[in-house]
Amino acid sequence: MSYLLLIFAPLLLSGLLYLLTRKNDLAKYLVLIYFGYLLFESLRLYMQLPQEGYLQLGSFFDVPAFDFVLTLQVDRLSVIMLTLTALLLILVTLSSWSMQKAPAYFSLLLFFSGAIFGVFMSTNLLWFFIFWELTLIPMYFLIGIWGAEGRVYAAVKFFLYTHVASMLILLAFFLLYKQSGSFDMTLIKESVLLTPALIWWLLFLGFAVKMPIFPFHTWLPDAHVQAPAPISVLLAGVLLKMGAYAMIRLVILMLPQESHKYAFVLLILGLFSLIYAAFMALQTKHLKKMVAYSSISHMGLVAIAMATLSYNGLSAALFEMIGHAFIIAPLFLIAGFFHHKTGSWMMQDMGGIMQKAPYISAIFVFAGLGALGLPSTMGFVGELTVLLSAVESFGPWVAFIVISSILASGYIIWTLRRVIYGEMSRVTKESDFSMETVEFVALVIFALLILIFGVYPDALFSVINQAFSAYFPTGGAV
């Protein structure tokens, strides 16, 4: 029952947290303690996992007539996502330490934690969908209330775009139930489906919007630009990874035969995402928009790695997902901090910030170099392993994806030149770049994670490889 509470306690108690902390400053402390507990439970789950298959955590709310039963099961893939989510929630809480309207803000974060844990722990497709949709509610309000000038438009666009895509996913789930007689995702792979191609396309389109990959990405730049910086971290580090997780779990691993037929679609769209978003990042003068397009470009790398359908490719995809979460987070946080201090998003209004805020600027530079693939960072390891797995599966021609690294070097170095270095602008001279110590600690933790797993990637790959070893007992492809 304790694992059920990891999902439903936050969903049910988030309102109570708001009521109890409206007139004091306790909300952030209580939420931080709880997210620390989530990280502890995630690590404890990992220690309990069997060598292969799922760890059974219980079944609840059983309605046999419709196979409507909340089955909680986790394997290494889902526990990796749980651990990443819990860690990011802790760091987002630290980064939000001085947030206005704190009781409501942290209550929504608490609600989000329950919904996202439900996504990664449930193996019943109907309950998976319920939790999937519940994640939209807190994100809608977090963008719509705490966002920038165009926050309402961005929140509505985010909600409608992703909700419409979810209808495709729901239709696919009902087709799976009608043809297999079960909502249990662990059993469907063994079933004979009448319309596997239709189901594959419905799931693919639904999850492609959430990742997102070209041309289904248009909701994300607006959401990133308008969202408060810590919520951009949740969007990039958790919500986008939820889409990638579902693409791996419910498209590639659950429908392997159809995935082989249509892998070229994922490859082509991944390549378009990679190059198109890099060019968009190169041409924009809006600091946070540059980071947003960089995020989309890196998700293109994830899609390319997935398209290999191989052990090496999926391991590279998961490493790139985690590396992207750690690298893009400080870029979003510091971009938001610069906007808060200068009152502008435009790079030309900044300049010479290194002279006023050297430590914060140094972390921004380091994360930026990680995004362009500097050796000794997670960005280098992720891009290299994606490239090697893609060349192994598709041949040498696909090596032209290194163009993205050249473009990334362009937009990152150009951004650093205009924002961090150079002559100090008038706006920079007049701005106070003091930061809460707690928020700076979060940035330092992100930088350390980028460095540690960049220098010692085996520490992470040893866990990631185990997540796919059951599906690829001899290596190779799905």
Side-chain angles (χ1 to χ4, degrees):
M1 183 62 73
S2 61
Y3 294 108
L4 185 67
L5 292 177
L6 292 181
I7 299 170
F8 284 96
L11 296 177
L12 299 175
L13 298 180
S14 56
L16 181 62
L17 175 69
Y18 171 72
L19 294 174
L20 294 177
T21 60
R22 278 185 302 172
K23 298 180 180 180
N24 56 54
D25 202 31
L26 288 176
K28 58 189 176 186
Y29 296 100
L30 295 174
V31 165
L32 182 61
I33 292 169
Y34 178 72
F35 291 159
Y37 172 71
L38 285 184
L39 180 59
F40 169 77
E41 283 293 339
S42 300
L43 294 173
R44 193 161 74 93
L45 278 174
Y46 180 79
M47 300 301 293
Q48 297 174 357
L49 287 171
Q51 287 296 318
E52 293 184 4
Y54 287 85
L55 175 65
Q56 307 290 331
L57 302 178
S59 297
F60 312 90
F61 316 128
D62 192 1
V63 183
F66 302 101
D67 195 32
F68 188 69
V69 53
L70 176 54
T71 306
L72 300 183
Q73 302 180 83
V74 292
D75 63 359
R76 280 175 167 74
L77 176 58
S78 49
V79 171
I80 289 171
M81 299 307 298
L82 291 173
T83 306
L84 174 65
T85 299
L87 179 58
L88 287 176
L89 284 169
I90 292 171
L91 295 174
V92 163
T93 301
L94 295 176
S95 303
S96 309
W97 212 246
S98 56
M99 188 66 66
Q100 300 296 313
K101 304 176 186 174
Y105 178 89
F106 289 108
S107 297
L108 288 168
L109 278 187
L110 183 64
F111 187 97
F112 177 81
S113 72
I116 194 70
F117 262 58
V119 169
F120 295 134
M121 294 174 73
S122 174
T123 55
N124 181 283
L125 293 176
L126 209 50
W127 277 101
F128 172 94
F129 180 80
I130 291 170
F131 295 129
W132 179 277
E133 288 295 278
L134 283 176
T135 62
L136 299 182
I137 297 172
M139 294 303 294
Y140 172 81
F141 287 109
L142 287 166
I143 297 171
I145 296 174
W146 285 270
E149 300 80 11
R151 59 187 179 272
V152 175
Y153 168 79
V156 171
K157 184 177 182 180
F158 155 75
F159 187 89
L160 291 179
Y161 211 107
T162 53
H163 182 63
V164 169
S166 295
M167 295 302 99
L168 301 178
I169 298 170
L170 182 61
L171 177 58
F173 286 172
F174 278 119
L175 287 174
L176 284 168
Y177 176 73
K178 183 175 177 61
Q179 296 177 27
S180 70
S182 175
F183 280 119
D184 189 337
M185 65 175 71
T186 65
L187 301 178
I188 288 172
K189 184 178 179 181
E190 309 301 327
S191 303
V192 178
L193 302 176
L194 299 177
T195 58
L198 174 61
I199 293 169
W200 189 95
W201 277 102
L202 290 171
L203 291 175
F204 171 77
L205 292 173
F207 298 141
V209 170
K210 187 71 83 174
M211 283 183 62
I213 53 178
F214 178 91
F216 312 107
H217 66 285
T218 55
W219 64 271
L220 186 61
D222 288 326
H224 270 318
V225 168
Q226 300 301 329
I231 301 310
S232 289
V233 174
L234 274 189
L235 274 171
V238 179
L239 217 65
L240 272 59
K241 304 307 177 292
M242 184 175 79
Y245 163 84
M247 188 73 80
I248 292 173
R249 170 81 75 195
L250 300 180
V251 176
I252 294 173
L253 298 180
M254 192 174 74
L255 300 170
Q257 293 181 343
E258 299 307 307
S259 295
H260 272 284
K261 292 180 184 177
Y262 304 116
F264 72 93
V265 177
L266 190 55
L267 173 63
I268 292 171
L269 294 184
L271 290 170
F272 268 105
S273 299
L274 181 69
I275 304 301
Y276 165 80
F279 272 113
M280 294 298 292
L282 190 61
Q283 63 85 32
T284 187
K285 297 179 181 178
H286 190 293
L287 180 58
K288 201 176 185 187
K289 194 171 285 186
M290 182 282 296
V291 181
Y293 279 115
S294 172
S295 178
I296 296 171
S297 181
H298 281 83
M299 290 309 291
L301 278 174
V302 173
I304 292 168
M306 288 181 186
T308 66
L309 308 180
S310 67
Y311 175 80
N312 291 334
L314 293 181
S315 293
L318 189 50
F319 188 95
E320 177 66 20
M321 286 162 58
I322 298 169
H324 169 263
F326 292 156
I327 289 170
I328 213 69
L331 292 176
F332 273 125
L333 291 172
I334 296 174
F337 173 76
F338 288 164
H339 169 254
H340 176 68
K341 295 299 182 179
T342 64
S344 175
W345 285 118
M346 296 297 110
M347 297 182 196
Q348 61 267 28
D349 294 335
M350 304 177 195
I353 294 180
M354 177 66 82
Q355 301 171 53
K356 291 289 292 286
Y359 299 113
I360 297 169
S361 296
I363 294 176
F364 188 83
V365 170
F366 180 65
L369 294 176
L372 64 82
L374 180 75
S376 80
T377 67
M378 291 188 75
F380 172 75
V381 178
E383 291 185 22
L384 179 63
T385 52
V386 169
L387 175 63
L388 292 176
S389 63
V391 170
E392 180 183 23
S393 295
F394 303 116
W397 71 270
V398 83
F400 85 89
I401 63 176
V402 297
I403 293 173
S404 69
S405 295
I406 299 172
L407 294 173
S409 300
Y411 63 72
I412 291 295
I413 292 174
W414 188 232
T415 298
L416 297 180
R417 170 66 183 83
R418 288 184 283 184
V419 175
I420 302 299
Y421 299 108
E423 184 179 347
M424 193 185 302
S425 69
R426 179 186 59 82
V427 174
T428 301
K429 291 178 182 177
E430 296 173 355
S431 301
D432 173 24
F433 289 93
S434 58
M435 175 183 275
E436 289 273 357
T437 302
V438 174
E439 296 176 1
F440 183 71
V441 167
L443 293 177
V444 172
I445 293 172
F446 277 121
L448 289 174
L449 290 169
I450 295 168
L451 179 63
I452 291 169
F453 291 124
V455 175
Y456 303 107
D458 282 351
L460 190 54
F461 268 119
S462 62
V463 177
I464 289 173
N465 290 340
Q466 292 177 24
F468 297 111
S469 60
Y471 300 97
F472 306 89
T474 59
V478 174

